[in-house]
Amino acid sequence: MASHTTLTSTYGARAGLPTTGPLASYLLRLISIKQTNLCLSADVETSAELIQLAEDVGDSICLLKTHCDIVTDWTDRTATALREIAKRKSFLIFEDRKFADIGETVQKQYTSGHHRIALWAEITNAHIVPGPAIVTALEKAAESTIAKYNTGVHTEISASSCAKLNGVDEDDDEDDEVPPMDGALESPMLMDDGERRLSIKPMDRKQSVVSVSTTISTRTESISPRPEALNASSETFDLDTVKQLVRLGEPPFLRSLLLLAEMSSAGHLMTPEYRQASVDVARSHRDFVMGFIAQRSLNTEPEDNFITMTPGCQLPPPGQEGAKLGDSLGQQYNTPRKLIFESGCDIIIVGRGIVRAPDRKAEAQRYRQAGWQAYEERIGKGQ
Ligand code: BMP
């Protein structure tokens, strides 16, 4: 593995680099606080199972990866429920859509149709087979989703002035220690009728607004350290972690893309030249492309700080350490240590290893620990 500063830097230090975009920075800080580089691949077929899985495993992950098109009863309510759990348990959502069409089509696939991915998933991914315009097209669609969202907020700013009219002083909140984060808006909640309900921008109270239909109590709930977050997290996290999560606040309403540079499946056609072409495309869109789906770190130039997310990860059953693992359909597995420590990947993506375990919660914790240990070994902690 080529040496690069990102391989020995902490997630926290990388969050602060000038080349790190705001969403990537948020994710790196989240990883650092929760001490988890685990992404759960929640490949289940019903909304109920998906929601239960997110509840069970949410404390152990930094990211929840979905395939919304395999959920038979997916509706906006599924997205709303996932966003609520993501907010409470502090993780981001990554829809593994693998866009691969011409620009015009991917824009529609991203923002319209049954799933309206751009509304609820902070991260999605694309193949570069069709050429670099796929990235430009998705970026434009993301920008317009963000703009519409922000316009929605502006429309509703007048609602916040009602707070004054109703005798609620915005400066009464006791959240002065929560540090501001630039330009961050929390994600919208999708309502049954498809309308967005906006909650507040926790870091800028002067602009904090609620949906006109909601009440001031919604606003204050979001500004103060969220009691439900404290309750849920205190089972797993110590008080210091909970405080840091509260200070981190909710994710910015931003969107980011991963490029598929290399797959985990046997016989894939992504040659080293193809991989390099993905890196070249990513470098020309650093503001939108957060990183790669790849089996190794692809950071080589000094300003590279791409996040490598890696599927094809399982811990071998006891007694089978060192065995080559896979399934009967071409999937190939590596251990968290091989991926994070030896190959310089940043986030392990685990599906069946956790989803099929009898105790998913405990298994997620086992993967979280293995991934974190491999990272600490990589950055030389404790040496
Ligand atoms: P599992 O851990 O159960 O093998 O699941 C892997 C997940 O990662 C699946 O959702 C699959 O679509 C995804 N994936 C992968 O396995 N290999 C890749 O190269 C890219 C993927 O997105």
Side-chain angles (χ1 to χ4, degrees), residues 41-43 65-67 70 94 96 98 125 260 262-265 268 270 293-295 310-314 327 331-333 349-356:
S41 183
D43 300 338
K65 184 174 85 61
T66 52
H67 279 298
I70 64 177
F94 160 26
D96 189 2
K98 299 190 179 71
N125 56 358
L260 284 126
E262 186 183 21
M263 293 193 68
S264 59
S265 41
H268 68 75
M270 294 157 144
I293 296 294
Q295 295 292 307
T310 309
C313 180
Q314 268 193 14
D327 64 11
Q331 178 66 298
Q332 305 176 112
Y333 290 115
I349 300 178
V350 182
R352 284 164 284 179
I354 293 171
V355 174
R356 293 195 178 164

Side-chain angles (χ1 to χ4, degrees), residues 212-223:
V212 179
S213 61
T214 53
T215 60
I216 293 305
S217 62
T218 309
R219 180 181 67 82
T220 49
E221 201 179 290
S222 291
I223 293 176

